[in-house]
Amino acid sequence: QVQLVESGGGSVQAGGSLRLSCAASGYSYCMGWFRQAPGKEREGVARISSTGSTNYADSVKGRFTISQDNAKNTVYLQMNILKPEDTAMYYCAARVAYGWCSLSSWDFNYWGQGTQVTVSS
């Protein structure tokens, strides 16, 4: 069982930046960030494996950066040049077992409670 605690959400104007953090209670093979806006499906934003390989959604490439501190079991999402369409609840997710890890929510088996990100124009 892995518990995930997100922090760092908030409100910002378009063009601004935020950094999300997710602290895990134990080791995860892969961790990711997902988001869900009202009336829309949850979508994968970025993921990082324990080896450091990363993957991003096309909509955030060049603006968002996922990173991790393995010693702290913590993953970060640096979000720059934020746009109103980035407004959503952001969720941290973890996969404990070794295996394929993509931006699909099916690849993850533990989820945080979410942190709200609101970008105003």
Side-chain angles (χ1 to χ4, degrees):
Q1 190 84 358
V2 175
Q3 294 184 340
L4 305 172
V5 179
E6 302 108 329
S7 61
S11 297
V12 66
Q13 289 190 330
S17 299
L18 285 172
R19 189 175 86 151
L20 307 182
S21 299
C22 174
S25 61
Y27 169 82
S28 299
Y29 173 73
C30 185
M31 295 186 74
W33 288 97
F34 291 75
R35 66 186 181 186
Q36 188 167 19
K40 295 187 177 181
E41 294 186 355
R42 186 174 296 188
E43 64 170 340
V45 175
R47 67 90 176 153
I48 186 167
S49 73
S50 59
T51 61
S53 68
T54 58
N55 191 19
Y56 295 91
D58 288 342
S59 58
V60 306
K61 282 181 180 177
R63 300 189 299 121
F64 291 11
T65 302
I66 190 169
S67 61
Q68 63 188 356
D69 184 333
N70 289 331
K72 296 181 179 180
N73 289 327
T74 299
V75 66
Y76 306 96
L77 185 68
Q78 178 66 44
M79 304 184 294
N80 298 327
I81 318 176
L82 282 161
K83 304 176 181 180
E85 50 264 43
D86 294 318
T87 295
M89 184 71 78
Y90 283 70
Y91 298 91
C92 177
R95 175 190 178 96
V96 175
Y98 173 84
W100 180 252
C101 184
S102 70
L103 290 176
S104 169
S105 59
W106 292 103
D107 292 342
F108 296 84
N109 45 9
Y110 294 100
W111 295 84
Q113 294 299 309
T115 184
Q116 178 68 36
V117 171
T118 303
V119 184
S120 59
S121 58

